[in-house]
Amino acid sequence: MTLSRPSLADLKPGQRPRSRRRWYKRSFRLQVMLLVGLLLAGMLLAQGTYLNHRKADIVTAQMGERALAVANTVASMPSIVAAFDTDDPARIIQPLAERVRMETGARYVVVGNTQSIRYSHPVPERLGQRMVGGDNDQALREGRSYVSEATGTLGTAMRGKAPIRDEAGNIIGLVSVGFLVDRVEMDAARYTSLGWMLVGLMILLGFAGAYVLSQHLKKVILGLEPYEIARLALEKEAILQSIHEGILAVNREGNITLVNQQARRLMELPDDQALLGQPIREVVPNSRLLEVLKRGEQEFDQQMWLGDHPVVVNRVPIIDEGEVEGAVATFRSRREIVDLSEALTQASRDVDMLRAQAHEFSNKLYTISGLLQLGRVEEALKLIHQESERAQKQMSFLMSHVADTVLSGTLLGKLTRARELGVALEIDEQSSLSQPLTPSGQEAMMTVVGNLLDNAFFAALHGPRADSPTVRLFFTDLGEQLVIEVDDNGPGVSAEHVESIFSEGFSTKTGQHQGLGLALVARLCRQYGGSITLEESELGGACFIAVLNRSLCVQAGPEPPVVDC
């Protein structure tokens, strides 16, 4: 799990009485909160008052301009102008004005003549009466369009006034469009209410920020006093040096910040060598702590080598407030579990072989049963003889060419697995192993052959010739070396991957737990005095050639004769 900051209760067994410290903390928080919060509230209230007042003025001005625009539009309507030449202008003007009023949302649209006699009004009973308000002179006498605020029969309103002119340009009347002040104020209040809500929200956030600020200093030092920090540092150092597991920590830049004595022993580093501040790649070239820093993900029970020591590693990022601040690796030697791991590996391979054989032979038995039920006895016998001959041929070849029974069993299992996958596994007829292997040699050969064949199966099944996947195996112990060669007709290895194909963690496959097989094969080859190389295969894919020192793998003694079949 990720490392988080410890609580005060865990860090301070000898802490002072909590009541006095709490009162001091509360007073400190209150002072900071009041100072910062009130200052911020005052600034926001002053700014909000000014902005909302300006917004209300803008809304009011916009309503006046809207009324004036409607008045100018009505005054320029040809039907309105023509109606003044009729005997009853109100009969034409009243319905036009009412329609405009309904469409624009104005409280009234009043059209009057030069004597301010109404030709339209929302209340029909007031037609023919004089317009009130006393603010028509500028339109009738000066011919101006303007906005005014006056009280009429329907109440105080923002009015837009515009003169009506005939074709000769003479003033023949005016238009008055009004929006009641009450509605204007309601609209202004609606527009400014959001502003006041935001001001209130910002004030609340300001007080919350002040509260967080008041705790920041204590939070940085985990609520500890300086002498308590010094004591904890000494306790931590003593605990780290007494732990049996190796511990290595790095910061976000990948530089070492902590290493204990057990880690130095596993890495075979002298006690006087300075490691703090050194880049992790210079000390442990194959470390994956930098990947943990980038991804921020945990890794548990990962296997790797520190020099000649196989270890099991746990890697955990150090996360503070959602940010990766560093990473810690703990590792322990795998020597004590090597024997158990080898036994489990062999058992797993045996189970895979038995499962594959059971699956294959159950299909054959169903086929034979079906032929017998159909009365096709000769065909059933032919299938039985065919299977028997194939199995006998494989067994005869392995018994005559491979002196080690464990390797023979491994190869037989791989042949069965290849048939189950639909891969043609060909064992070169010149292959041979003339002497039995030592237990460690058996483990090495099973690992090398098993991993190389598994990779070849995968490559052949996912290559350009997946319709006829083919893998070829050759091995020999002639001379001073034990040579294993595996070819496939897969896609091969691209040039940019040749240098890193044997690196631990590198893989062209997707998914977890990849990038270990070839790295393990390369390490075993070096451990047994050999090497592994990559070439282009005659089949069109990749060709891996593994070489081991024969004397480190085979049992001592006279070489038994190998019979050719």
Side-chain angles (χ1 to χ4, degrees):
M1 58 182 176
T2 55
L3 297 180
S4 58
R5 290 180 171 179
S7 64
L8 290 179
D10 297 332
L11 294 176
K12 302 173 65 179
Q15 59 187 351
R16 293 172 295 178
R18 299 288 294 180
S19 58
R20 293 169 57 188
R21 295 182 62 211
R22 282 177 179 167
W23 167 248
Y24 175 77
K25 283 186 175 181
R26 278 200 296 267
S27 64
F28 177 73
R29 293 170 184 163
L30 183 60
Q31 291 177 27
V32 174
M33 227 166 64
L34 289 177
L35 178 62
V36 177
L38 290 177
L39 179 61
L40 183 61
M43 294 174 58
L44 289 173
L45 285 174
Q47 187 177 17
T49 300
Y50 171 76
L51 292 178
N52 286 328
H53 180 72
R54 287 289 301 155
K55 186 183 294 184
D57 290 344
I58 292 173
V59 171
T60 301
Q62 287 178 346
M63 294 296 286
E65 294 296 330
R66 181 180 175 186
L68 182 59
V70 174
N72 284 323
T73 301
V74 174
S76 62
M77 293 173 63
S79 55
I80 296 293
V81 176
F84 275 80
D85 295 331
T86 62
D87 295 335
D88 188 7
R91 181 175 59 83
I92 299 174
I93 295 175
Q94 172 68 6
L96 293 175
E98 283 301 294
R99 187 178 67 183
V100 172
R101 182 180 69 84
M102 298 298 295
E103 291 178 354
T104 59
R107 182 64 185 88
Y108 58 81
V109 177
V110 177
V111 178
N113 59 16
T114 54
Q115 287 78 36
S116 298
I117 301 301
R118 300 188 185 105
Y119 289 157
S120 67
H121 196 277
V123 182
E125 292 77 9
R126 297 178 183 175
L127 294 177
Q129 299 178 9
R130 291 183 62 83
M131 301 169 64
V132 297
D135 54 348
N136 295 337
D137 291 344
Q138 296 183 54
L140 293 176
R141 296 180 181 179
E142 302 175 13
R144 294 173 52 191
S145 298
Y146 56 93
V147 178
S148 67
E149 180 177 344
T151 302
T153 57
L154 298 178
T156 303
M158 293 293 299
R159 297 179 171 188
K161 301 280 187 174
I164 302 174
R165 299 176 184 271
D166 58 13
E167 295 180 355
N170 300 317
I171 299 175
I172 59 176
L174 82 159
V175 179
S176 178
V177 178
F179 291 90
L180 292 183
V181 172
D182 292 344
R183 178 180 172 182
V184 174
E185 292 177 350
M186 289 177 59
D187 290 342
R190 185 172 68 252
Y191 283 110
T192 57
S193 60
L194 178 61
W196 286 116
M197 290 175 60
L198 290 176
V199 169
L201 178 61
M202 294 303 295
I203 291 175
L204 291 177
L205 291 177
F207 276 100
Y211 178 77
V212 173
L213 180 63
S214 68
Q215 300 184 93
H216 178 68
L217 184 59
K218 281 289 183 179
K219 184 179 180 181
V220 169
I221 61 174
L222 303 178
L224 299 174
E225 300 297 335
Y227 73 91
E228 293 170 326
I229 296 175
R231 188 185 70 232
L232 286 174
L234 295 175
E235 292 176 355
K236 183 198 73 170
E237 185 66 21
I239 293 172
L240 290 176
Q241 301 305 333
S242 64
I243 292 176
H244 179 66
E245 292 185 345
I247 300 178
L248 187 65
V250 297
N251 56 19
R252 64 168 64 187
E253 288 78 24
N255 297 327
I256 297 176
T257 58
L258 184 147
V259 57
N260 67 348
Q261 294 298 324
Q262 182 65 11
R264 288 179 177 271
R265 284 193 290 270
L266 290 174
M267 292 186 292
E268 298 180 349
L269 298 174
D271 294 342
D272 57 352
Q273 180 178 347
L275 296 179
L276 298 184
Q278 297 294 320
I280 184 66
R281 286 296 192 195
E282 296 183 4
V283 180
V284 187
N286 60 336
S287 174
R288 292 179 55 84
L289 279 178
L290 295 181
E291 284 78 4
V292 174
L293 286 174
K294 293 178 181 178
R295 300 195 312 269
E297 298 177 356
Q298 309 161 357
E299 296 181 355
F300 293 107
D301 298 328
Q302 302 293 309
Q303 298 184 15
M304 66 175 293
W305 290 73
L306 288 177
D308 294 330
H309 294 280
V311 294
V312 178
V313 186
N314 296 323
R315 305 180 185 93
V316 181
I318 302 174
I319 297 179
D320 181 24
E321 297 180 355
E323 296 291 333
V324 178
E325 298 292 341
V328 176
T330 61
F331 40 88
R332 61 186 183 275
S333 176
R334 202 169 58 92
R335 297 289 187 189
E336 63 271 14
I337 59 175
V338 168
D339 294 337
L340 178 60
S341 175
E342 292 175 352
L344 291 175
T345 300
Q346 181 59 38
S348 176
R349 288 178 178 150
D350 292 342
V351 170
D352 288 341
M353 182 183 68
L354 293 174
R355 179 183 59 81
Q357 290 179 343
H359 179 73
E360 179 182 8
F361 282 105
S362 65
N363 290 334
K364 297 290 177 58
L365 289 175
Y366 282 125
T367 303
I368 294 171
S369 175
L371 291 174
L372 292 176
Q373 292 179 18
L374 295 173
R376 313 294 288 271
V377 178
E378 292 184 1
E379 295 183 13
L381 290 174
K382 182 179 179 180
L383 180 61
I384 292 173
H385 290 313
Q386 178 183 345
E387 180 63 22
S388 177
E389 289 176 1
R390 182 187 59 77
Q392 185 63 32
K393 184 178 179 181
Q394 291 178 351
M395 291 294 296
S396 176
F397 175 84
L398 294 176
M399 290 179 63
S400 60
H401 287 72
V402 182
D404 189 85
T405 55
V406 173
L407 182 59
S408 296
T410 299
L411 294 176
L412 185 60
K414 290 301 179 182
L415 286 166
T416 305
R417 179 60 177 164
R419 289 196 302 274
E420 186 182 57
L421 294 174
V423 177
L425 174 57
E426 303 172 358
I427 300 180
D428 194 292
E429 294 181 355
Q430 301 299 319
S431 299
S432 65
L433 181 66
S434 59
Q435 283 188 267
L437 300 171
T438 63
S440 61
Q442 290 175 345
E443 176 66 23
M445 281 292 290
M446 286 189 298
T447 301
V448 172
V449 173
N451 278 289
L452 291 180
L453 287 178
D454 288 341
N455 285 344
F457 292 163
F458 181 88
L461 289 170
H462 295 81
R465 292 166 286 275
D467 54 339
S468 59
T470 304
V471 175
R472 182 182 299 162
L473 170 66
F474 170 77
F475 56 90
T476 182
D477 64 343
L478 296 178
E480 299 298 326
Q481 296 177 328
L482 209 167
V483 181
I484 304 101
E485 180 176 326
V486 177
D487 295 76
D488 63 70
N489 65 345
V493 180
S494 59
E496 62 267 21
H497 294 157
V498 171
E499 297 296 331
S500 53
I501 192 69
F502 299 110
S503 300
E504 183 174 350
F506 176 84
S507 177
T508 58
K509 305 176 186 177
T510 59
Q512 298 180 345
H513 309 297
Q514 304 295 342
L516 298 176
L518 288 178
L520 180 59
V521 170
R523 187 179 298 116
L524 284 173
C525 289
R526 292 193 299 269
Q527 183 178 346
Y528 283 85
S531 62
I532 182 170
T533 57
L534 170 63
E535 299 178 356
E536 185 176 351
S537 172
E538 297 177 356
L539 300 178
C543 174
F544 288 91
I545 303 175
V547 179
L548 292 82
N549 190 322
R550 183 174 181 272
S551 62
L552 300 177
C553 299
V554 302
Q555 296 181 7
E559 297 186 0
V562 177
V563 181
D564 278 334
C565 296

